């Protein structure tokens, strides 16, 4: 059994969907704190290679890439084995990969269900399953990236909101199942990075609903991830909301 307060420099993290946007910021933040990172990507190969080069330039052989479509469940066991094999240990699993697009009730298809519920809920469970033996070896941790819309559904995003609600329960249920060896927590962001397709009016409406009257900086989300890894040894089964007060809006 490893010591609870082992230095971050000895630890390794697998971040799903880590090539761009929030996943890349988490990879950068963990790396800056001394953690070696396995960056998973699906199609963003150029961004993944650029990020790996950036991080390996800062610290030699500290970032590794793994490609997979996570919805092909057969690949998950191999992904976990490879992530563990890079440095011979796996301390942290960050379930960040996501699909986010509107699915109005009248139009949603089974294919939408399979993609959105698949990547936001099914994949985090099966990745947790295959990572658990490695995480147990080092008293590791799982962090699920949820969304405030797990608790307050986003209009027209019924499948996404439902999948993320399931991810909150998965966080709690896994915390119970994997204790005391593996801690499982979540982070529930409000507005951090806009989806490409969102209108200016929709953005303004969201911002006006935050108490702090702005969107979050990715570094503020990364700070919470690092807190869960580094400072929260007595915390499991919890979800931290970081939303500038959006959940308190009337
Ligand atoms: N953006 C926000 O402000 C916000 C707010 C609340 C919650 N969140 C949550 O925070 C997390 C990150 O948000 P984001 O906006 O950065 O996410 P995103 O851009 O929507 O997606 C992140 C990555 O997920 C990967 N992905 C999607 N489907 C996949 C599949 N089938 N197999 C493997 N990888 C797949 C993609 O990788 P490739 O590009 O390599 O294909 C994508 O770059 C998500 O869990 C999201 O729900 C974000």
């Amino acid at each position: 059994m490893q010591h609870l307060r082992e230095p971050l420099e000895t630890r390794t993290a697998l971040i799903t969907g880590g090539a761009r946007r929030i996943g890349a910021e988490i990879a950068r933040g963990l790396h800056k704190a001394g953690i070696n990172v396995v960056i998973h990507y699906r199609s963003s190969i150029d961004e993944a290679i650029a990020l790996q080069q950036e991080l390996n330039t800062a610290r030699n052989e500290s970032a590794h890439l793994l490609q997979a479509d996570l919805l092909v469940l057969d690949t998950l066991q191999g992904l976990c084995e490879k992530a563990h094999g890079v440095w011979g240990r796996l301390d942290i699993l960050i379930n960040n990969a996501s699909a986010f697009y509107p699915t109005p009730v009248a139009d949603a298809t089974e294919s939408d269900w399979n993609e959105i519920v698949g990547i936001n809920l099914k994949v985090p469970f099966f990745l947790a399953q295959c990572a658990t033996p490695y995480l147990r070896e080092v008293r590791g941790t799982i962090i699920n990236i949820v969304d405030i819309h797990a608790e307050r559904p986003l209009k027209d995003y019924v499948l996404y909101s439902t999948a993320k609600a399931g991810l909150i329960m998965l966080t709690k249920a896994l915390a119970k199942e994997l204790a005391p060896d593996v801690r499982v927590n979540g982070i529930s962001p409000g507005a951090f990075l806009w989806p490409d397709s969102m209108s200016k009016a929709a953005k303004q409406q969201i911002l006006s609903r935050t108490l702090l009257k702005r969107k979050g900086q990715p570094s503020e989300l990364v700070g919470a991830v690092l807190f869960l890894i580094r400072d929260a040894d007595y915390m499991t089964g919890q979800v931290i909301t970081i939303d500038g007060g959006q959940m308190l809006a009337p």
Side-chain angles (χ1 to χ4, degrees):
M1 186 190 296
Q2 306 291 319
H3 192 273
L4 283 175
R5 285 287 181 180
E6 210 172 340
L8 293 184
E9 288 74 10
T10 61
R11 301 194 216 178
T12 72
L14 168 62
I15 302 138
T16 67
R20 56 195 290 270
R21 290 170 55 84
I22 288 174
E25 289 307 312
I26 294 172
R28 282 193 181 92
L30 268 54
H31 184 269
K32 196 173 174 191
I35 297 167
N36 285 342
V37 290
V38 178
I39 299 160
H40 155 269
Y41 69 98
R42 176 191 52 178
S43 50
S44 297
I45 184 167
D46 294 342
E47 291 94 334
I49 290 172
L51 180 58
Q52 182 192 31
Q53 285 173 351
E54 173 192 323
L55 300 184
N56 279 339
T57 300
R59 195 168 73 241
N60 204 21
E61 292 185 28
S62 56
H64 190 86
L65 299 183
L66 290 176
Q67 192 280 334
D69 181 342
L70 300 177
L71 289 175
V72 182
L73 287 193
D74 287 352
T75 64
L76 299 189
Q77 182 63 38
L79 187 82
C80 287
E81 285 171 14
K82 284 181 199 157
H84 174 263
V86 181
W87 290 289
R89 61 185 290 162
L90 181 62
D91 300 78
I92 302 153
L93 167 63
I94 313 257
N95 280 311
N96 167 79
S98 175
F100 176 79
Y101 55 86
T103 52
V105 172
D107 302 335
T109 64
E110 188 179 4
S111 162
D112 295 332
W113 173 284
N114 289 339
E115 180 179 8
I116 293 176
V117 181
I119 194 67
N120 286 293
L121 180 57
K122 188 175 183 181
V123 165
F125 171 75
F126 284 104
L127 272 178
Q129 185 186 61
C130 68
T132 290
Y134 303 126
L135 296 172
R136 278 197 200 283
E137 286 173 7
V138 290
R139 295 185 78 86
T141 192
I142 297 173
I143 298 174
N144 294 322
I145 310 298
V146 194
D147 192 304
I148 55 168
H149 296 297
E151 293 181 68
R152 180 183 285 198
L154 181 60
K155 179 86 174 77
D156 286 337
Y157 287 74
V158 59
L159 297 183
Y160 176 81
S161 303
T162 302
K164 290 294 195 182
L167 189 57
I168 290 186
M169 181 50 76
L170 183 66
T171 302
K172 296 176 185 180
L174 284 177
K176 193 172 257 190
E177 298 295 329
L178 305 186
D181 299 330
V182 178
R183 293 183 301 112
V184 187
N185 292 292
I187 290 182
S188 200
F192 277 82
L193 294 179
W194 304 120
D196 295 338
S197 55
M198 191 175 271
S199 70
K200 204 174 168 186
K203 293 175 189 172
Q204 271 312 323
Q205 198 196 6
I206 291 170
L207 291 186
S208 70
R209 289 171 66 86
T210 65
L211 299 186
L212 301 183
K213 300 298 171 206
R214 66 173 176 88
K215 64 186 173 78
Q217 301 295 325
S219 60
E220 293 167 319
L221 196 156
V222 173
V225 175
L226 278 169
F227 165 75
L228 287 173
I229 293 169
R230 186 169 51 194
D231 305 315
D233 287 341
Y234 198 50
M235 214 172 131
T236 194
Q238 299 299 314
V239 178
I240 300 176
T241 296
I242 313 178
D243 69 343
Q246 193 180 339
M247 282 291 278
L248 292 180

